[in-house]
Amino acid sequence: MLDIKNIYKNFGDVHVLKGVSTHVEKGEVVVIIGVSGSGKSTLLRCMNLLEEPTFGEVWMEGRLMTPPDPYLHEEVIRASKTYGRLRSEGLDDAGAIKKIKDEDLLKEKHPRAEGNAYKTELEKIYRENGIDINLGRQKMGMVFQSFNLFNNKTVRENITLAPIKIGRQRLKEAKKRGESVDKTPEDIVKAANAKAMELLERIGLQDKADVYPSTLSGGQRQRVAIIRALAMEPDVMLFDEPTSALDPEMVGEVLDLIRDLVKSGMTSVIVTHEMGFAKEVADRVIFMHDGVIAEEGTPDEVFNHPKNPRCRDFLSKVLY
Amino acid sequence: MTFITNVAYIMTKYWRTFLLQGIGYTLLLSLIAVSGGAFFGSLMALAKRSRLKLLRAVVNIIVEVVRGTPVLLQLYIGVFVFPMIVPALSSLPYIYSVSIVLIINSSAYVSEIIRSGIEAVDAGQMEAARSLGLTQRTAMVSIVLPQAVKNILPALGNEFIMVVKETSLASTFFVGELMTSYLKVKGYTYLTMECLVIVGVLYFALTYILSKLLKVLERRMKAHA
Amino acid sequence: MKKMEKLLCLLLSLCMVLALAACGDSSDAKLSAAYDKYMAGFTKGGANGTLTVAMSPDFAPMEFYDAAKTGDDAIVGFDVLLANYLAQELDMQLVIKPMSFDACQAAVQTGNADIGISGFSWTYERGQNYAISDFYVAGDNETEQSIICLKENEGKFTKAEDFVGYKVGYQGASLQQVLVEETFGDLDVDIDSVYVDLGTAVEALKAKQIDFLAVAHGNGESIIASANDSIAFTGFDFEVDDMYKNNVCLINKNNTELLEKVNAALAKALENDYYSGWYDACKVYAGVSTLDELGFDDDGNKIKE
């Protein structure tokens, strides 16, 4: 469902992610753990492109969300001028590709320098696989550490804003294409409001529909943030330390909601420091260290039989 | 006592010059400067967020130059240099050139007010909107700008009050605002102090009433959210 | 806070009351009668394009505002008469652009105005940067240069040595500055008090920050007239070199054609003795003298010399 291919992320001279690849199956719950600064939040934010990866590709349900990364496509490398030069210097095909990948030789920032054939190949990949970034994001719900509810909207508006705006936009586009549409914009608003009330009822906050987020407690805000993401009916949910900013007595209600969600089969990627929770809900645990995946496996493998010394060290500190 | 009788004498004889012309032109110039400034300042704030490097650079240079030079100097340049560039200006009264300068000046400050107002909105608001699949434009219009306006309006009000006082420099070209009234009357009566006190009271009354009005506006905005 | 508001209300209503009281607004028709006659006598709307004049109208009686008049007519004074005369002689349409004294020079320099007429005196530096017209004579405004003081010192100071130990103020970059420096530079007189405009200098004199103020005689008369006689002439007059006695027009250095025409017109005015009549009319207008004193009848006709 969600494919992460060889992601690198640099902030200036700081290399936060140094080649991360992973794959999230439909219905799978992946928990990412690791010390602060290990790149786990950055990885999550790269998944829906809130951070644009410096290199690498993100694929959502078989569609490419990032620009194509030439290093991941050998036919692109073969079309480049650099490859041609290396071949003429006597290297064989495999040798030239290896040298280019290892030494980062493509002038990927200046596609013109690598010739037209190279550009055509890249564009072809994007044309065949690329998807509008906003479409991709609509399939992913994101929950933030600091909730990020819209301060200028009521709870209900927070939940309905995106469904209404995007629903209307789709309607307009469908009409433009000449398709017959059976919905009116009013229907969209009505449906979004009904959905919002249904979700609010699910978390027991239906009486808070018309208040502003500033009047809610932290736990309530985070639960509203979660159902705001759900209102878009995403295929995968990304949780970025959803309980880190909460007072201890409110952690439970938020974890309960997330637990409900994953139990109902929602594909999820969760970055968290709640090790007990991770152990309980995860199908797979990823331990990040220094920008790479240092250990990966079932909760039992990672928590009870860690092979990586860093991972052992980390777990011994957080699990007492 | 002669002072007060002098003030009374000046007011009876020249009340039109002060109250009608002076206040009228001061308010007119301030309104032109601030509304023009709000419009072009918004455009400049947009340009500052543009992807075009050249556009950003040009706007930044304008803002830095305007903020780094005295208004009086800008007025001199506007009145004497603009007509060389735009010949149509040379046949118009100076108030046109002066208005253009005040609009440019105000735009620069307003664009900074808007920029910092937008930047003061938590980046998480934009991220949350984008993560839901909303476009940059929709996120900006529906989420960030409405919150930024709350930061921007009070600062814009202060800018308006600053502009009311800054228009006094336009008296160098006798455009008719309050300070021009002062120059006209003291040039004839040589009662400098008396005229200064009169325009001082009038400027204070103007800015005081304006700031009161702005407070009411702010309170309403707060009550609304 | 409440008190402040009350105070404000009081002040504003005071303004209103004064304004209402003045609704009848005396138009001073009598004062301007002679001036208006001269103005009406000029041929206006010449066919040779426009003559743009830069002028700083805060300097009665040379150029000032008449609050009772509106639009372009509101700027009045000797230099306005001269400008109208020049426009008539050059067969040009007159446009007066009011601006501060400093700005007048910048306007001429940048070509924004064709000519600066604002009571300019000749100085060496101006001669370097502008084309300077021949002299014109604004009555005794510049020919007599005097020193004014508070009423109690009237007539007590008559020679340069009398001022030793006192403070004499003057307007910067003016003829008075030159005269004060020439006259008192070698004596023990405090001449460090420079003012940007005459009005401020008068306030300094009233506040006793300076003991004396050097002024052109005509300006002195205006000042004394509006100070309800709390100010007077000391009785000392500067010895004024001929080249300082009169005023000049500033013209852009490159515009020699205009310079020649202006000089020709000025020569004609001098020959026909227009200046003294104009100056007298403006003195009456500025409230310095009465019509009767200067030999006008009530309708502004000159009846005796």
Side-chain angles (χ1 to χ4, degrees), chain B residues 26 29-30 33-34 66-67 69-72 74-75 98 101-107 109 158-172 175 177 179 203 207:
Chain B
T26 291
L29 273 180
S30 311
V34 169
V66 166
R67 294 208 301 178
T69 53
V71 185
L72 184 59
Q74 293 165 18
L75 285 169
V98 165
V101 170
L102 289 176
I103 286 175
I104 294 175
N105 182 281
S106 180
S107 299
Y109 283 95
N158 285 338
E159 169 70 10
F160 192 61
I161 289 172
M162 289 299 295
V163 166
V164 166
K165 290 184 286 178
E166 266 170 18
T167 54
S168 64
L169 290 168
S171 65
T172 302
V175 294
E177 33 59 69
M179 211 62 186
Y203 270 118
T207 53

Side-chain angles (χ1 to χ4, degrees), chain C residues 128-184:
Chain C
Q128 297 300 297
N129 298 317
Y130 302 91
I132 304 263
S133 76
D134 290 343
F135 296 123
Y136 64 89
V137 191
D140 59 358
N141 190 50
E142 301 280 356
T143 52
E144 283 181 48
Q145 297 286 335
S146 311
I147 290 184
I148 55 173
C149 58
L150 293 176
K151 185 79 177 172
E152 62 246 41
N153 293 327
E154 183 177 13
K156 290 184 195 156
F157 296 78
T158 49
K159 48 188 200 299
E161 288 73 26
D162 293 341
F163 292 91
V164 169
Y166 290 101
K167 273 191 186 174
V168 181
Y170 50 88
Q171 184 183 1
S174 68
L175 172 58
Q176 290 79 42
Q177 174 163 18
V178 178
L179 293 173
V180 165
E181 282 167 357
E182 278 180 2
T183 313
F184 300 123

Side-chain angles (χ1 to χ4, degrees), chain C:
Chain C
M1 226 41 194
K2 277 270 169 288
K3 253 188 193 166
M4 280 275 267
E5 273 167 47
K6 266 186 196 159
L7 188 73
L8 250 173
C9 284
L10 201 76
L11 273 171
L12 278 179
S13 41
L14 190 75
C15 291
M16 289 301 159
V17 168
L18 285 174
L20 286 174
C23 259
D25 216 16
S26 55
S27 63
D28 294 335
K30 215 172 166 189
L31 286 184
S32 67
Y35 176 87
D36 292 340
K37 268 241 152 74
Y38 282 118
M39 269 305 267
F42 292 119
T43 321
K44 298 199 175 67
N48 263 339
T50 54
L51 179 69
T52 313
V53 177
M55 191 176 280
S56 178
D58 54 355
F59 200 59
M62 293 300 282
E63 49 265 308
F64 56 100
Y65 268 91
D66 180 353
K69 291 184 178 170
T70 54
D72 292 342
D73 292 340
I75 306 172
V76 298
F78 181 89
D79 283 335
V80 179
L81 289 175
L82 178 64
N84 273 281
Y85 166 75
L86 287 178
Q88 167 191 286
E89 293 300 303
L90 273 57
D91 194 23
M92 293 171 92
Q93 195 136 18
L94 180 66
V95 175
I96 292 181
K97 291 195 172 181
M99 63 190 85
S100 73
F101 195 67
D102 284 341
C104 286
Q105 306 190 37
V108 174
Q109 201 172 19
T110 57
N112 260 270
D114 300 318
I115 183 167
I117 308 179
S118 199
F120 288 106
S121 297
W122 179 88
T123 66
Y124 177 76
E125 288 75 17
R126 281 189 185 131
Q128 297 300 297
N129 298 317
Y130 302 91
I132 304 263
S133 76
D134 290 343
F135 296 123
Y136 64 89
V137 191
D140 59 358
N141 190 50
E142 301 280 356
T143 52
E144 283 181 48
Q145 297 286 335
S146 311
I147 290 184
I148 55 173
C149 58
L150 293 176
K151 185 79 177 172
E152 62 246 41
N153 293 327
E154 183 177 13
K156 290 184 195 156
F157 296 78
T158 49
K159 48 188 200 299
E161 288 73 26
D162 293 341
F163 292 91
V164 169
Y166 290 101
K167 273 191 186 174
V168 181
Y170 50 88
Q171 184 183 1
S174 68
L175 172 58
Q176 290 79 42
Q177 174 163 18
V178 178
L179 293 173
V180 165
E181 282 167 357
E182 278 180 2
T183 313
F184 300 123
D186 299 331
L187 295 171
D188 190 19
V189 178
D190 184 343
I191 55 170
D192 295 330
S193 308
V194 192
Y195 296 90
V196 285
D197 68 299
L198 206 48
T200 316
V202 171
E203 289 308 319
L205 180 65
K206 285 184 189 165
K208 299 190 178 169
Q209 287 166 3
I210 49 174
D211 304 301
F212 301 100
L213 177 60
V215 292
H217 198 84
N219 296 133
E221 287 175 336
S222 283
I223 293 164
I224 290 168
S226 52
N228 300 328
D229 284 337
S230 64
I231 290 176
F233 284 109
T234 51
F236 176 86
D237 289 329
F238 289 99
E239 279 174 34
V240 187
D241 197 302
D242 274 346
M243 66 182 178
Y244 292 139
K245 277 183 181 167
N246 306 304
N247 290 115
V248 294
C249 309
L250 301 190
I251 296 171
N252 193 291
K253 227 176 157 62
N254 304 320
N255 203 347
T256 45
E257 192 195 337
L258 180 64
L259 179 67
E260 281 168 20
K261 285 186 191 165
V262 166
N263 281 343
L266 289 176
K268 186 178 159 195
L270 190 65
E271 201 176 303
N272 297 326
D273 191 23
Y274 293 146
Y275 296 139
S276 58
W278 295 347
Y279 188 68
D280 285 348
C282 293
K283 263 173 113 173
V284 175
Y285 204 165
V288 180
S289 310
T290 61
L291 284 169
D292 187 41
E293 271 172 27
L294 294 172
F296 290 96
D297 67 15
D298 280 358
D299 296 326
N301 298 310
K302 194 99 176 170
I303 46 175
K304 60 180 181 216
E305 285 305 314

Side-chain angles (χ1 to χ4, degrees), chain A residues 47-100:
Chain A
M47 287 180 181
N48 73 349
L49 266 58
L50 279 184
E51 302 292 354
E52 212 172 304
T54 314
F55 296 107
E57 292 176 352
V58 176
W59 293 71
M60 177 68 190
E61 296 175 339
R63 305 308 297 270
L64 180 60
M65 284 178 68
T66 51
D69 179 355
Y71 291 101
L72 293 175
H73 303 275
E74 294 190 352
E75 70 273 22
V76 177
I77 296 179
R78 285 198 189 95
S80 70
K81 281 189 178 165
T82 309
Y83 174 84
R85 185 167 51 80
L86 290 176
R87 285 303 294 271
S88 70
E89 283 168 10
L91 285 168
D92 65 352
D93 174 66
I97 288 178
K98 187 172 182 325
K99 191 171 162 71
I100 286 174

Side-chain angles (χ1 to χ4, degrees), chain A residues 68-272:
Chain A
D69 179 355
Y71 291 101
L72 293 175
H73 303 275
E74 294 190 352
E75 70 273 22
V76 177
I77 296 179
R78 285 198 189 95
S80 70
K81 281 189 178 165
T82 309
Y83 174 84
R85 185 167 51 80
L86 290 176
R87 285 303 294 271
S88 70
E89 283 168 10
L91 285 168
D92 65 352
D93 174 66
I97 288 178
K98 187 172 182 325
K99 191 171 162 71
I100 286 174
K101 281 189 179 175
D102 289 351
E103 296 177 20
D104 208 1
L105 291 177
L106 292 180
K107 301 179 182 84
E108 69 278 345
K109 292 262 190 293
H110 310 281
R112 232 173 262 157
E114 293 293 354
N116 278 334
Y118 167 88
K119 242 179 93 185
T120 316
E121 283 293 337
L122 269 184
E123 280 163 6
K124 190 176 137 213
I125 293 175
Y126 190 71
R127 199 169 50 243
E128 286 172 2
N129 303 298
I131 185 180
D132 177 54
I133 186 171
N134 292 318
L135 279 178
R137 281 178 177 153
Q138 285 161 25
K139 298 175 193 291
M140 302 182 191
M142 176 105 180
V143 175
F144 299 86
Q145 180 177 345
S146 50
F147 329 133
N148 293 349
L149 290 180
F150 305 136
N151 299 324
N152 59 324
K153 303 277 179 194
T154 63
V155 167
R156 188 213 309 266
E157 289 166 345
N158 259 277
I159 302 167
T160 57
L161 178 83
I164 291 175
K165 292 266 180 212
I166 290 162
R168 278 181 179 163
Q169 198 188 329
R170 283 180 187 158
L171 203 64
K172 226 192 251 168
E173 279 160 11
K175 271 186 189 156
K176 224 184 239 170
R177 284 195 301 268
E179 292 168 18
S180 66
V181 281
D182 51 353
K183 275 190 293 191
T184 63
E186 290 75 41
D187 291 339
I188 291 171
V189 175
K190 224 181 268 172
N193 276 321
K195 174 101 186 166
M197 288 317 289
E198 180 198 318
L199 286 165
L200 278 170
E201 253 167 65
R202 180 163 156 193
I203 58 171
L205 290 179
Q206 61 272 36
D207 55 328
K208 300 281 189 191
D210 295 314
V211 304
Y212 284 89
S214 55
T215 61
L216 299 181
S217 74
Q220 289 172 330
R221 284 188 217 186
Q222 191 62 300
R223 286 188 288 144
V224 171
I226 291 171
I227 62 166
R228 175 177 70 178
L230 289 177
M232 284 302 293
E233 300 181 340
D235 296 333
V236 55
M237 286 287 287
L238 310 175
F239 295 92
D240 187 4
E241 304 195 22
T243 57
S244 296
L246 292 174
D247 291 336
E249 74 270 19
M250 293 171 182
V251 171
E253 56 184 282
V254 173
L255 290 184
D256 286 345
L257 178 58
I258 300 174
R259 188 181 291 114
D260 278 357
L261 261 179
V262 300
K263 290 262 164 71
S264 69
M266 174 61 77
T267 313
S268 302
V269 182
I270 307 172
V271 172
T272 186

Side-chain angles (χ1 to χ4, degrees), chain A residues 32-48:
Chain A
I32 306 176
I33 58 173
V35 296
S36 304
S38 59
K40 52 191 193 314
S41 277
T42 306
L43 174 61
L44 195 78
R45 292 162 62 81
C46 277
M47 287 180 181
N48 73 349

Side-chain angles (χ1 to χ4, degrees), chain B residues 74-75 77-80 82-83 89-90 92-103, chain C residues 112:
Chain B
Q74 293 165 18
L75 285 169
I77 289 179
V79 165
F80 292 137
F82 283 5
L89 275 175
S90 57
L92 293 170
Y94 282 146
I95 195 164
Y96 288 85
S97 299
V98 165
S99 299
I100 293 173
V101 170
L102 289 176
I103 286 175
Chain C
N112 260 270

